Amino acid sequence: VPGFDVAGTIESVPKTNNSNFSVGDRVFGCTLFGAYSSRVVIPTIQLRKIPDCIEKFSKAASFPAVSMTALYALHLAGYFPGGVDDGASRHKFKNKSILIHSAAGGVGSFLVQMAKILGLGPIVGVVGRSSKVDEAYRLGCDVVIDKST
């Protein structure tokens, strides 16, 4: 059965449960396959509790793919791990400014927040609709370009 990203409710835990998970906990995470099944067995190291502010399982299930895509993009740009200020030669760019397309979308919203955490700036976000400008600023963009205007 295909699928990697999951979200759901824990139905059972092993008797030797050394985790912070209990039956009834709402969780999201990754598995190597089988996420499209109605039930899966996943090691607890691959799960995280869903924050109370996230109501839908579908939203929580999207976290692993979009967040890891964003993190990998920062890695390719030389900003992760280590950030831009550690003087390591592995960084491709010393410029701390960053341009993020679809800054209020799935991967873009994670990129904006991760860039802020890493101390990058200015963060310039590009959005495709005027209705997304405020969201891009809320996520942490210093400047937002609305390509629809």
Side-chain angles (χ1 to χ4, degrees):
V1 176
F4 298 104
D5 302 330
V6 299
T9 305
I10 293 182
E11 291 184 351
S12 66
V13 294
K15 289 182 177 150
T16 58
N17 181 18
N18 295 329
S19 73
N20 292 325
F21 297 114
S22 303
V23 171
D25 284 346
R26 294 169 11 109
V27 296
F28 72 95
C30 294
T31 184
L32 294 177
F33 289 102
Y36 295 169
S37 301
S38 59
R39 288 183 172 83
V40 293
V41 176
I42 303 173
T44 56
I45 191 93
Q46 295 167 217
L47 296 173
R48 297 291 180 267
K49 290 184 181 179
I50 298 174
D52 292 336
C53 61
I54 298 173
E55 296 177 14
K56 296 183 179 183
F57 286 128
S58 58
K59 188 171 184 179
S62 71
F63 277 22
V66 296
S67 63
M68 294 309 291
T69 301
L71 194 60
Y72 189 62
L74 290 168
H75 167 73
L76 290 176
Y79 295 127
F80 185 84
V84 295
D85 291 327
D86 68 359
S89 61
R90 71 179 179 273
H91 298 301
K92 296 179 183 178
F93 309 108
K94 295 299 179 184
N95 185 343
K96 294 173 72 172
S97 59
I98 186 166
L99 174 69
I100 300 173
H101 287 269
S102 299
V107 175
S109 64
F110 273 87
L111 267 171
V112 169
Q113 294 173 81
M114 290 176 180
K116 195 63 119 180
I117 289 168
L118 291 172
L120 302 179
I123 299 171
V124 180
V126 179
V127 296
R129 293 193 326 243
S130 297
S131 62
K132 293 192 170 194
V133 170
D134 288 342
E135 178 67 7
Y137 279 120
R138 190 188 69 73
L139 289 165
C141 288
D142 299 304
V143 176
V144 177
I145 298 168
D146 179 357
K147 65 181 182 180
S148 70
T149 58

